[in-house]
Amino acid sequence: MNVEPPIPMSAGLTSAEAKCQLDRYGPNTMPEDGGRSGLAIAREILTEPMLLLLMAAVTLYLVIGDLAEGLLLAGFAVLTIGLVFYQQQRSENALAALRNLGAPSARVVRDGKECIIAAREVVVGDVMLLDEGERVPADGMLISNVGLVVDESLLTGESVPVRKHAGDCGELAAVPGGDDQPFVYSGTLVVKGHGTAIVSDTGLRTRAGRIGVSLASIVVERTQLQVSVNRIVRLFGGLAAIVCCALVIFYGVYREDWLQGLLSGIALAMSMLPEEFPVVLTIFLAIGAWRLARIKVLARRPAIIETLGAATVLCVDKTGTLTENRMRIRFLDTLTNQLEVESDFRDIPQAILPLVEAAWLATRHASIDPMDRAVAGLASRAKGYETLVWPTVREYGLSPELLAMSIAWKDDAGHFAVACKGAPEAIIALCHLTDEKEAKIWEHVHTMAEKGLRVLGVGIGTTTQGELPESQHDFDFTFAGLVGFEDPLRTTVPAAVREASHAGISVKMITGDYSATALAIASAAGIDTKHGTVTGQQLEGSDDAEVELLVSSANVFARIMPEQKLRIVEALRRQGEIVAMTGDGVNDAPALKAAHIGIAMGKRGTDVAREAAGMVLLDEDFGSIVSAVRMGRRIFDNLRKVIIYISAIHVLIAGLALVPLIAGMPPLFFPAHVVVIEMIIDPMCSIVFERTPAEGDIMHRPPRSVENPLAGIQQIVFGLLQGSVLLIVCLAIYQGLLLQEASVEAARTAAFIAVTAGNLSLALVNSSREPVLVHMLDRGRMTFWIAAVIAVLVVSICIVQPSLAELFAFTRPEIGQVVLAAGAGVFAVLVFDTMKLIPAVRRIVG
């Protein structure tokens, strides 16, 4: 940490100097992936295989002089490009907004004045102002401070804050941890006091930045969902290429009609190419990420949502995730009188009031320390104490030798009033108690600790001297009692733990607290504690095999250091578990990245932790994690349903494009017909299935195996079977009308009506694991019916409007033909709805 001498320290930098430093060292940020530009999005869209096929068809029609058909397809192409570009650009804008959300700020001296700037604009040489409750924006060295105490646990894992001392660093090494050092570090939290420091390192050169860079060496695996979808697309794409080339050659060689062969080949390729798969995956996960954000869970990598739905173990921190991350007074004990403080209590018994008064007098009234605020909250309910504001004369701070603090006040009569609070052993020492009373106090302390409470002793004192003494020991203190603090369990936690248990998910609590406190909180949360606790010391003395045994049996881990989380994650992964892990500190980052699902804290978490994690818990509530699991399962279920639907509909339209040509019948489909069907399929896939509500038993099933693919052989075969049955029915209608000497246009129109009815029926039937006939009008189906009405209107216009009917080679059908075609299409699919009464079929669908 070498500070450059020419930079003035008192007045800070000038704006011009700060700009030069920013240009030289770069912004005070961690590296992050940049978003895609509009040009990059357009390039991706224009290279999509489906769009390339569509443009090839447009070119062919224009070459042969069919201007109307070419312009129609060109219009569809422009519409497709516009819709996809809008959707992708909107997604990028949303991501950019999320990146800017909650950007940290810093207080610095610029041009001789204090100002607030974005933390990313802090530069080397800046004079930064640090105050209680603020995060340090960059590494630096103190040039002045008043009682500055900093929590460096994000770097060291040590929960006890460290004192800082301004001055020349001399021979000291800049290493986090340890008292009385002049160095401050980016991302650490000022818990007491205030100070001024000169910035020495920013961005990647900070201590936290160097840890963040090392995380880049950990490879993030692709999710099973991404692998499954890519495998399906390659399978269908390869098959489409082979069949289409064969069709073109067949037409060109045997029928000597290369032009019709190319058009038919393009139509067949468009019908077989499952371009919906990657689109659906993107849309489902993007909208899923938006839905998660509404329940305060931010998915940094949307594909992680699918993995979350398969989670088998949730490893969660106690503080702030299971609890509210605030202290409140739960128990007051004067040794002769006790009070269980309920959240709705009204009056404090007279016998307890002296203890409350002593605790209030031993508290800095403007403090943000959680325990001080808890005392203030209790005092505000005791009549008169909230208005007791005497001038502070002197404060005696904590020291390693005496873990207690005292505050001296001057009352209205001009007399000194002194009160102390701190660790029980320190208060016992200050009160100079007898061995008998000391033993009694320790008995009460242990009883409170077993309830999961953090215990402080309180004393009230006087002095006979005219001036205040230099040491706390020179006061004549009287023991006032014990105050028990708790970090209350979130009210949503017990129900969420039960829901996770019903879903077959094991919940493991990890904390730095002592075992007794950990067991008390875990038991209140509903976590299984029958195997007791595993401590950090036990993990430290165990080899990998022994650690696996420990983590497989126990659900409560106490006195755990942040770096030990990584061993827990790795042991669970070796056992085949799908692990979700929460964390907030820099030292948590390796464990977050090693877990299948790393979940960083939104309020307490560091940038390094958030970058390593796949998700950020914005409200830090465990219930939100379980809700996210439910969402992940719902998304996977609906993706599986839509894969079956896409498989079925592509068999149908590919067969209708291919079979008539092979059988010597007039072509049934041209590229324009395929495009219209695709315009119906796309909203069905991206809107209707995405909005399908979760199955009723979704959180009563065990987690699916990670080896269970999104679409296995069973799902593909089931989809192919549905499509094949509907294909036979549509071909029968087409062939039947041709045999009855109906015109080709009339037969094509009736077949297209059957295809539309069958298509809509496929979407409805595949939207649920249960038979949908009795639930067709449920509120959750409203999106389907809206899409269905729009699809029917579009097809009707194409048939009835003369110009469009000519372009599509349709003719106005007879009423009997419409009823027959629509009824046949619906009936062919509803047969599969009744098959879902068989449990094995239900398991295939969802």
Side-chain angles (χ1 to χ4, degrees):
M1 283 191 170
N2 296 320
V3 180
E4 299 181 2
I7 298 175
M9 296 194 299
S10 57
L13 299 175
T14 65
S15 297
E17 290 170 335
K19 185 178 185 306
C20 291
Q21 293 291 81
L22 187 63
D23 293 339
R24 178 179 177 183
Y25 291 101
N28 180 35
T29 57
M30 301 292 288
E32 58 183 28
D33 295 332
R36 295 178 300 168
S37 65
L39 184 61
I41 295 173
R43 189 185 304 116
E44 290 180 15
I45 296 171
L46 292 174
T47 54
E48 285 291 328
M50 177 61 75
L51 190 61
L52 293 176
L53 287 171
L54 189 57
M55 295 309 297
V58 170
T59 303
L60 276 176
Y61 276 117
L62 294 178
V63 167
I64 64 176
D66 195 336
L67 183 63
E69 189 81 14
L71 292 178
L72 176 65
L73 292 181
F76 281 130
V78 172
L79 179 62
T80 301
I81 292 171
L83 288 174
V84 175
F85 182 85
Y86 170 76
Q87 186 179 51
Q88 297 280 9
Q89 188 65 55
R90 187 179 179 187
S91 174
E92 288 299 320
N93 291 340
L95 289 174
L98 287 174
R99 282 192 288 268
N100 293 329
L101 184 64
S105 59
R107 292 188 304 126
V108 298
V109 177
R110 291 273 177 90
D111 299 316
K113 299 178 182 178
E114 177 184 336
C115 60
I116 298 175
I117 62 173
R120 69 186 310 276
E121 297 175 7
V122 173
V123 298
V124 173
D126 257 328
V127 173
M128 53 184 177
L129 306 177
L130 309 175
D131 206 348
E132 194 171 300
E134 296 178 348
R135 288 202 181 271
V136 180
D139 286 6
M141 189 175 72
L142 285 172
I143 54 177
S144 68
N145 80 293
V146 178
L148 192 69
V149 179
V150 180
D151 179 358
E152 295 184 346
S153 60
L154 299 172
L155 293 171
T156 65
E158 295 292 336
S159 59
V160 179
V162 294
R163 296 189 308 273
K164 293 296 178 180
H165 177 74
D168 188 0
C169 61
E171 299 298 320
L172 288 175
V175 178
D179 289 323
D180 299 324
Q181 293 201 28
F183 307 110
V184 290
Y185 301 95
S186 174
T188 57
L189 178 67
V190 178
V191 294
K192 287 184 180 179
H194 55 87
T196 305
I198 183 167
V199 176
S200 57
D201 288 307
T202 59
L204 295 178
R205 294 173 298 280
T206 63
R207 177 74 57 167
R210 292 197 291 272
I211 295 176
V213 170
S214 69
L215 292 173
S217 62
I218 301 177
V219 177
V220 179
E221 299 175 357
R222 300 175 71 193
T223 68
Q224 187 71 20
L225 181 58
Q226 292 169 313
V227 173
S228 296
V229 168
N230 288 335
R231 184 172 61 244
I232 294 170
V233 171
R234 286 195 302 269
L235 175 65
F236 274 80
L239 183 61
I242 294 171
V243 174
C244 295
C245 289
L247 180 63
V248 172
I249 294 173
F250 171 78
Y251 252 84
V253 174
Y254 291 97
R255 297 192 178 180
E256 298 182 354
D257 191 347
W258 288 97
L259 180 59
Q260 184 60 50
L262 283 172
L263 289 173
S264 298
I266 291 172
L268 181 59
M270 292 171 65
S271 65
M272 292 185 67
L273 192 66
E275 90 290 347
E276 296 92 356
F277 285 156
V279 172
V280 163
L281 176 62
T282 300
I283 291 173
F284 270 49
L285 295 181
I287 297 179
W290 172 76
R291 293 188 188 281
L292 284 175
R294 296 182 67 186
I295 59 172
K296 304 301 182 182
V297 179
L298 176 62
R300 293 189 61 254
R301 294 188 291 272
I304 207 74
I305 298 171
E306 174 262 341
T307 308
L308 185 61
T312 59
V313 177
L314 300 181
C315 296
V316 295
D317 292 318
K318 174 187 75 72
T319 303
T321 307
L322 296 179
T323 64
E324 296 180 7
N325 194 29
R326 67 175 179 87
M327 286 293 180
R328 76 178 180 94
I329 294 176
R330 190 72 179 84
F331 197 78
L332 297 169
D333 186 355
T334 65
L335 302 186
T336 56
N337 295 278
Q338 290 81 34
L339 175 65
E340 192 93 20
V341 182
E342 302 293 343
S343 58
D344 59 347
F345 87 100
R346 296 184 181 275
D347 297 318
I348 298 176
Q350 192 68 34
I352 301 293
L353 284 176
L355 173 57
V356 176
E357 178 181 1
W360 173 240
L361 290 175
T363 298
R364 289 186 298 119
H365 296 173
S367 173
I368 66 165
D369 180 86
M371 290 189 175
D372 288 349
R373 294 177 70 176
V375 172
L378 180 69
S380 68
R381 296 186 173 189
K383 296 178 180 178
Y385 293 125
E386 73 276 13
T387 60
L388 185 63
V389 183
W390 294 333
T392 305
V393 180
R394 183 168 179 177
E395 180 178 331
Y396 299 83
L398 290 166
S399 68
E401 297 79 22
L402 186 67
L403 298 177
M405 64 168 291
S406 299
I407 299 179
W409 310 81
K410 185 167 284 189
D411 63 18
D412 296 333
H415 301 130
F416 290 124
V418 186
C420 64
K421 74 174 188 293
E425 63 270 22
I427 302 302
I428 289 171
L430 286 175
C431 294
H432 308 293
L433 302 174
T434 64
D435 291 343
E436 182 181 354
K437 189 163 187 179
E438 180 179 345
K440 186 176 182 180
I441 290 173
W442 279 116
E443 182 181 335
H444 285 241
V445 168
H446 291 316
T447 300
M448 294 169 70
E450 288 174 356
K451 298 178 181 179
L453 302 180
R454 184 171 180 181
V455 184
L456 291 185
V458 178
I460 189 76
T462 59
T463 179
T464 57
Q465 302 177 23
E467 295 183 358
L468 292 174
E470 292 300 317
S471 171
Q472 297 182 68
H473 282 286
D474 295 329
F475 289 104
D476 184 13
F477 282 111
T478 300
F479 186 77
L482 300 170
V483 180
F485 297 82
E486 72 170 359
D487 186 358
L489 191 72
R490 292 182 183 269
T491 57
T492 58
V493 166
V497 170
R498 284 195 301 272
E499 186 175 15
S501 179
H502 292 155
I505 302 170
S506 173
V507 179
K508 297 182 183 293
M509 187 186 83
I510 301 174
T511 179
D513 282 340
Y514 290 98
S515 294
T517 304
L519 284 172
I521 292 293
S523 180
I527 296 173
D528 183 4
T529 60
K530 64 183 178 183
H531 294 291
T533 61
V534 171
T535 65
Q537 188 176 4
Q538 287 176 272
L539 292 178
E540 193 68 30
S542 303
D543 59 26
D544 288 346
E546 291 170 333
V547 170
E548 287 185 27
L549 290 176
L550 290 173
V551 301
S552 64
S553 58
N555 292 320
V556 182
F557 297 82
R559 306 302 291 169
I560 299 296
M561 301 296 287
E563 56 269 21
Q564 291 175 324
K565 287 184 175 182
L566 182 59
R567 289 197 74 188
I568 295 173
V569 170
E570 291 174 339
L572 290 169
R573 289 194 61 152
R574 286 194 298 270
Q575 294 174 335
E577 304 286 0
I578 304 300
V579 185
M581 168 70 77
T582 66
D584 56 5
V586 170
N587 281 3
D588 289 333
L592 291 174
K593 200 155 190 179
H596 295 92
I597 310 110
I599 306 173
M601 298 296 103
K603 297 176 183 176
R604 293 176 289 123
T606 61
D607 289 338
V608 172
R610 284 192 285 267
E611 288 298 319
M615 307 184 78
V616 178
L617 201 60
L618 299 177
D619 63 356
E620 304 188 354
D621 187 345
F622 174 76
S624 297
I625 300 177
V626 178
S627 297
V629 170
R630 169 187 284 271
M631 182 67 69
R633 291 189 175 192
R634 172 189 167 186
I635 290 172
F636 185 88
D637 273 6
N638 289 346
L639 273 171
R640 174 168 282 181
K641 294 168 185 174
V642 82
I643 292 296
I644 296 173
Y645 164 73
I646 292 172
S647 301
I649 196 64
H650 275 280
V651 167
L652 172 65
I653 57 180
L656 292 177
L658 179 62
V659 173
L661 301 178
I662 296 176
M665 293 185 287
L668 177 53
F669 279 171
F670 300 125
H673 299 107
V674 177
V675 170
V676 170
I677 295 175
E678 291 288 347
M679 297 295 283
I680 297 174
I681 294 173
D682 287 345
M684 283 294 175
C685 295
S686 58
I687 299 176
V688 174
F689 278 94
E690 193 284 326
R691 291 178 64 88
T692 298
E695 302 286 349
D697 65 342
I698 197 166
M699 291 299 281
H700 291 273
R701 309 179 211 156
R704 61 178 178 81
S705 169
V706 72
E707 302 299 327
N708 185 11
L710 172 66
I713 298 298
Q714 292 179 322
Q715 286 76 34
I716 297 296
V717 169
F718 192 59
L720 295 179
L721 182 61
Q722 292 181 22
S724 298
V725 171
L726 186 56
L727 171 62
I728 292 171
V729 169
C730 292
L731 284 174
I733 292 173
Y734 186 56
Q735 178 68 5
L737 289 175
L738 290 177
L739 291 176
Q740 293 176 14
E741 299 184 355
S743 66
V744 173
E745 289 76 11
R748 179 179 293 115
T749 304
F752 199 83
I753 291 172
V755 168
T756 303
N759 184 5
L760 298 176
S761 300
L762 282 172
L764 180 62
V765 167
N766 285 303
S767 65
S768 174
R769 298 172 73 238
E770 304 295 330
V772 296
L773 281 176
V774 294
H775 304 290
M776 291 176 62
L777 300 179
D778 286 356
R779 189 173 182 179
R781 311 282 175 201
M782 185 58 64
T783 306
F784 164 79
W785 290 113
I786 292 173
V789 168
I790 293 173
V792 170
L793 287 175
V794 169
V795 172
S796 298
I797 291 171
C798 290
I799 294 173
V800 174
Q801 211 282 328
S803 299
L804 289 175
E806 183 179 354
L807 285 174
F808 285 97
F810 286 154
T811 188
R812 186 168 299 190
E814 299 174 2
I815 295 298
Q817 292 175 344
V818 173
V819 173
L820 173 65
V826 171
F827 180 77
V829 177
L830 290 184
V831 171
F832 292 95
D833 195 48
T834 60
M835 291 176 62
K836 287 187 286 187
L837 295 171
I838 304 171
V841 175
R842 286 201 299 273
R843 286 193 293 271
I844 292 173
V845 175

